[in-house]
Amino acid sequence: MRLRKITEPVFERLIKICGYSSGFIVLLIVIFLFKEGISFFNLSPVDEGSTLWVHNSNPVKELDAAQIKDIFDQKIDNWKAIGGNDQPIELFTLDELGEAFTAEQLGPKFEYLPKCIDSYMDSLPGAIGFFPEKQTVGLLKSAKEVEVDKVSFSTFISDTEWFPTSRPAARMGIMPLLLGTLLVSFFAILFALPLGLAASIYLAEIADDRVRKILKPIIELLAGIPSVVYGFFGLVVIVPFVQNTFNLPVGETALAGSIVLAIMALPTIITVSEDALRTTPRAMKEASLALGASQWQTIRKVIVPYAASGITAAAILGIGRAIGETMAALMVTGNSAIMPHSLLQPVRTIPATIAAELGEAPFGGLHFKALFALGCILFIITLIINLLVERVSAKRR
Amino acid sequence: MTFPESNDRRKKIGQAVMFGVSKGISYGIVALLFLILFFIIKQGIGVISWEFLTAMPTDGMTKGGIYPAIIGTLYLVGGSMLFAFPVGVMAGIYVNEYAVSGPMKRFINMMTNNLAGVPSIIFGLFGMALFVNQMGFGASILAGSLTLGLLALPIVIRTTEESLKSVDDTFRQASYALGGSKLYTIRKVVLPIALPNILTGLILAVGRVSGETAPILFTVAAYFLPRLPNSIMDQCMALPYHLYVISTSGTQIEASRPIAYGTAFVLVAIVLIVNILAALLRNYFGKKVKMN
């Protein structure tokens, strides 16, 4: 008895701590995700230590990641296009030094490297040079360093290109990924909602109890199948189906993703909206039937409107599931991070991007942090969705 | 009111059509599930053999078995439950038995809902940041198990809470009347009655965890590791990641298709077994408790 007096409070304290565990974990997730994610901003889009140089006479002082990529992709070939003098842009990287100078001129330990670069840059007023390490280059007399715009939240959100590993400057705009995610999820719900609603009406109002008791667990089993199995099924069945039906070069498209995610969202939609339909008070149903309405009219005019907010919650939850789904989206959407124009082209979703790229991103680097920032965006989206669901269902009560 | 009869007939036909449509859609969805299951079982069953289940993968994962992936998944499921089960059950007890209704309880419920709604890839990112890097576990069974445990936590909390809620209050009052303390009542009266339902939840959580891929991508999963893990600080292979790898990457996707079907079959079999087990348990104990 006395022992219990000591152990009981200890246990009760332990129970209380565990009770707060989910709140604590959500907090930890926020801290760790955002710590890495926020440190992404204000980094330079070029590799650490690397620098860009232009000729002293060049009036261009600042460049952003998009301009740098266009310059090195040779899409911009005249300084005039970015506010400089009217002269062609000459690309100059360390690799070209080997051609321009002999080994003797560079010196046995490359000790004359800065001198060589200097004289080379001097001879080309339109040159832009990209040198990996400041130390190897030293300070140039003929050239000046160009400032590179830091990664900002607004370019992260609005830029339409996602080339996280391109050099000299990475372009990290989440627009194509965000739109890809929304496109796939939107159509997944467009397919799943009418089907799910019809099934939930059947289960809640039409089927007799015996049938319902058999169908319900079977439909719930759909939720138990692992997403990687759905992805695999999509890969070997739905992708070829889409490819053959629409005569496409590849079947891994937004449409294939939408179909697979629609199947995966079905059990959520059915369970939640069936529960909502069941809450309709018996008196309302019977009043409608007593006025001469048929059973279907009662469903359409009384039960569904009464459950509207629950059905909305089901749809929102379904969208949330689709947006956050990783493996199936990764396996069937084709993974091409370009702005989506149609359902029949490959796209890439946010979670798929994280899953595909994090393994290859150097730890703690720009790309690594960009993926955490992407995770923050995804987390915020799902948080908003959860709060929306909470609000919509709170209204009912 | 002018043409009650025709109106009536239209009503009846409309109803028959709509009932037919919704019935058709419902059975269509069931048929879809059976199609998926049937497809994977049909393609996979020929691959399954004792050797497939107990041999190491060979020839660039196009031949041999999936033994290390099965063992790895067992380790991960066991490890995650070791964390999620006690913490989740105690959290469920707190929410249902101790917490007083009010803003704090609402907050806890909201957080549990939020945790349940967090996408699995976020758990992967978080597990990598906290367990792999911050705590220095590296990519290991320990880090992977903890990550999966966090993912399973809201499931265990929810089912525990629901199970406790269904225990009639008269049981508690009877125990209090006999002088039982709160904790004693929970331990000796409430938990034993709720246990079958809690176990059902545990089984479903096992099913969920065994198929998760995204949380283990960066915390534990090894692309190819044809040996068993030596300790919990070791990496390991896992069934869902193995299926992902051999069906999407590598140079011999076609050659490894049979292995992929076999792996998918094993995953589906786990899900089916787990669900049937849960249903049986619920049925069996459901009757027993009612008799008391």
Side-chain angles (χ1 to χ4, degrees):
Chain A
M1 214 40 201
R2 189 174 298 155
L3 187 69
R4 201 184 295 151
K5 268 207 181 110
I6 302 165
T7 55
E8 275 202 357
V10 174
F11 262 107
E12 286 181 334
R13 186 60 57 83
L14 198 63
I15 286 172
K16 190 168 180 181
I17 293 170
C18 288
Y20 288 102
S21 60
S22 45
F24 183 62
I25 291 164
V26 172
L27 188 73
L28 273 183
I29 292 178
V30 170
I31 291 173
F32 275 86
L33 217 55
F34 282 74
K35 196 184 78 183
E36 290 285 345
I38 288 173
S39 69
F40 165 67
F41 300 107
N42 279 326
L43 286 178
S44 170
V46 298
D47 298 347
E48 212 170 298
S50 301
T51 45
L52 280 164
W53 298 76
V54 294
H55 194 269
N56 268 334
S57 66
N58 200 326
V60 173
K61 289 199 182 76
E62 234 183 298
L63 289 171
D64 63 30
Q67 289 167 334
I68 295 169
K69 185 162 189 302
D70 283 348
I71 289 172
F72 280 82
D73 286 350
Q74 294 174 331
K75 278 185 197 145
I76 299 178
D77 53 9
N78 196 307
W79 285 107
K80 218 170 112 185
I82 40 179
N85 302 327
D86 185 7
Q87 57 189 5
I89 296 175
E90 312 261 358
L91 297 182
F92 176 38
T93 56
L94 278 187
D95 310 332
E96 280 162 43
L97 274 181
E99 291 161 27
F101 297 93
T102 64
E104 276 154 44
Q105 281 172 310
L106 289 169
K109 287 178 186 158
F110 295 102
E111 57 262 50
Y112 306 130
L113 187 69
K115 222 177 181 176
C116 292
I117 295 174
D118 224 5
S119 68
Y120 197 85
M121 290 286 288
D122 200 24
S123 65
L124 292 167
I128 178 164
F130 171 64
F131 309 118
E133 290 290 334
K134 208 172 186 168
Q135 294 91 317
T136 60
V137 178
L139 286 171
L140 303 176
K141 287 189 209 80
S142 63
K144 60 181 181 186
E145 204 181 326
V146 190
E147 274 195 45
V148 180
D149 287 354
K150 306 267 188 272
V151 181
S152 71
F153 184 69
S154 57
T155 50
F156 184 61
I157 288 289
S158 62
D159 195 356
T160 56
E161 307 265 343
W162 177 262
F163 291 107
T165 53
S166 101
R167 288 173 60 128
R171 280 191 76 173
M172 292 168 173
I174 62 165
M175 216 50 192
L177 312 176
L178 191 63
L179 289 183
T181 310
L182 295 179
L183 178 79
V184 172
S185 312
F186 174 75
F187 278 93
I189 293 306
L190 205 64
F191 300 150
L193 192 60
L195 299 179
L197 190 56
S200 63
I201 288 173
Y202 179 73
L203 287 176
E205 294 297 326
I206 303 170
D208 58 56
D209 235 28
R210 198 174 43 87
V211 176
R212 184 178 167 271
K213 272 202 178 116
I214 300 170
L215 291 190
K216 196 89 199 291
I218 296 178
I219 286 173
E220 274 165 8
L221 197 59
L222 269 173
I225 297 179
S227 58
V228 69
V229 173
Y230 277 114
F232 179 62
F233 178 77
L235 202 61
V236 292
V237 176
I238 290 168
V239 164
F241 170 76
V242 168
Q243 186 178 1
N244 294 333
T245 313
F246 297 96
N247 234 337
L248 299 170
V250 283
E252 281 107 338
T253 53
L255 180 64
S258 297
I259 295 173
V260 173
L261 294 191
I263 300 173
M264 297 179 74
L266 273 175
T268 310
I269 293 178
I270 294 174
T271 314
V272 177
S273 48
E274 195 211 333
D275 285 346
L277 292 169
R278 279 183 179 281
T279 57
T280 315
R282 207 190 151 115
M284 284 177 80
K285 282 192 244 175
E286 282 173 355
S288 165
L289 293 171
L291 287 170
S294 70
Q295 213 184 334
W296 177 253
Q297 284 172 323
T298 306
I299 292 172
R300 203 159 59 94
K301 298 275 166 89
V302 178
I303 299 175
V304 170
Y306 185 85
S309 63
I311 295 167
T312 314
I316 301 173
L317 260 176
I319 292 178
R321 287 284 140 79
I323 287 178
E325 174 48 45
T326 311
M327 297 317 288
L330 178 63
M331 290 165 87
V332 301
T333 54
N335 284 321
S336 104
I338 43 171
M339 292 292 278
H341 299 294
S342 85
L343 266 184
L344 297 176
Q345 73 172 61
V347 294
R348 179 182 245 184
T349 68
I350 293 177
T353 305
I354 301 173
E357 293 178 5
L358 191 64
E360 285 147 27
F363 172 72
L366 181 72
H367 189 191
F368 182 87
K369 289 188 165 144
L371 294 173
F372 269 84
L374 215 49
C376 295
I377 302 279
L378 183 63
F379 183 80
I380 292 170
I381 294 174
T382 50
L383 200 68
I384 292 172
I385 283 173
N386 283 337
L387 294 177
L388 265 180
V389 170
E390 205 104 357
R391 266 194 80 138
V392 170
S393 18
K395 244 186 217 160
R396 293 172 57 76
R397 283 178 216 131
Chain B
M1 281 315 266
T2 14
F3 302 106
E5 208 174 309
S6 79
N7 193 11
D8 221 40
R9 191 183 299 151
R10 241 198 6 235
K11 233 162 64 178
K12 263 186 193 146
I13 293 172
Q15 167 154 322
V17 169
M18 293 321 286
F19 276 24
V21 168
S22 52
K23 187 175 180 176
I25 288 174
S26 304
Y27 282 94
I29 292 172
V30 171
L32 183 70
L33 172 75
F34 280 118
L35 178 82
I36 296 173
L37 293 182
F38 178 75
F39 177 79
I40 285 169
I41 290 170
K42 190 186 134 228
Q43 300 280 347
I45 196 139
V47 184
I48 302 297
S49 66
W50 186 245
E51 199 226 323
F52 180 72
L53 297 175
T54 57
M56 296 290 169
T58 53
D59 296 296
M61 296 191 277
T62 57
K63 293 211 171 65
I66 53 168
Y67 184 58
I70 292 176
I71 297 299
T73 289
L74 282 181
Y75 273 116
L76 291 175
V77 167
S80 62
M81 285 306 134
L82 228 50
F83 165 75
F85 192 56
V87 176
V89 168
M90 284 204 268
I93 291 174
Y94 180 75
V95 174
N96 196 62
E97 306 289 324
Y98 284 93
V100 250
S101 341
M104 207 58 214
K105 189 172 173 179
R106 269 211 304 279
F107 175 76
I108 292 177
N109 279 330
M110 200 173 89
M111 282 302 153
T112 310
N113 275 344
N114 276 335
L115 195 62
V118 169
S120 53
I121 187 73
I122 300 282
F123 282 102
L125 277 178
F126 174 64
M128 185 189 199
L130 176 63
F131 302 125
V132 176
N133 294 329
Q134 186 80 32
M135 295 172 94
F137 297 156
S140 61
I141 293 178
L142 182 61
S145 299
L146 286 172
T147 310
L148 286 172
L150 296 183
L151 181 132
L153 194 61
I155 306 172
V156 179
I157 296 178
R158 277 277 167 271
T159 44
T160 304
E161 199 191 331
E162 293 298 321
S163 321
L164 294 176
K165 218 180 264 174
S166 67
V167 176
D168 203 74
D169 247 356
T170 50
F171 287 107
R172 295 185 184 87
Q173 281 149 9
S175 170
Y176 295 152
L178 291 169
S181 70
K182 184 150 193 165
L183 191 65
Y184 189 83
T185 305
I186 292 170
R187 210 157 51 89
K188 294 281 179 180
V189 181
V190 180
L191 271 186
I193 299 174
L195 193 64
N197 283 331
I198 297 178
L199 286 181
T200 313
L202 174 76
I203 293 173
L204 290 177
V206 165
R208 170 87 194 273
V209 161
S210 61
E212 276 294 341
T213 318
I216 59 172
L217 282 176
F218 319 113
T219 52
V220 53
Y223 182 80
F224 178 61
L225 191 71
R227 62 173 173 84
L228 298 186
N230 294 323
S231 77
I232 57 166
M233 301 312 279
D234 227 0
Q235 277 193 293
C236 68
M237 294 177 84
L239 284 171
Y241 183 62
H242 190 61
L243 175 58
Y244 165 64
V245 164
I246 56 177
S247 60
T248 58
S249 55
T251 47
Q252 308 170 49
I253 291 177
E254 284 311 313
S256 53
R257 265 293 131 82
I259 304 283
Y261 281 119
T263 311
F265 176 90
V266 173
L267 275 170
V268 165
I270 291 175
V271 170
L272 288 180
I273 290 169
V274 155
N275 275 279
I276 291 168
L277 215 62
L280 287 180
L281 199 71
R282 203 179 292 159
N283 255 347
Y284 176 71
F285 283 102
K287 274 174 201 143
K288 205 172 152 191
V289 169
K290 244 178 234 157
M291 280 195 312
N292 283 347

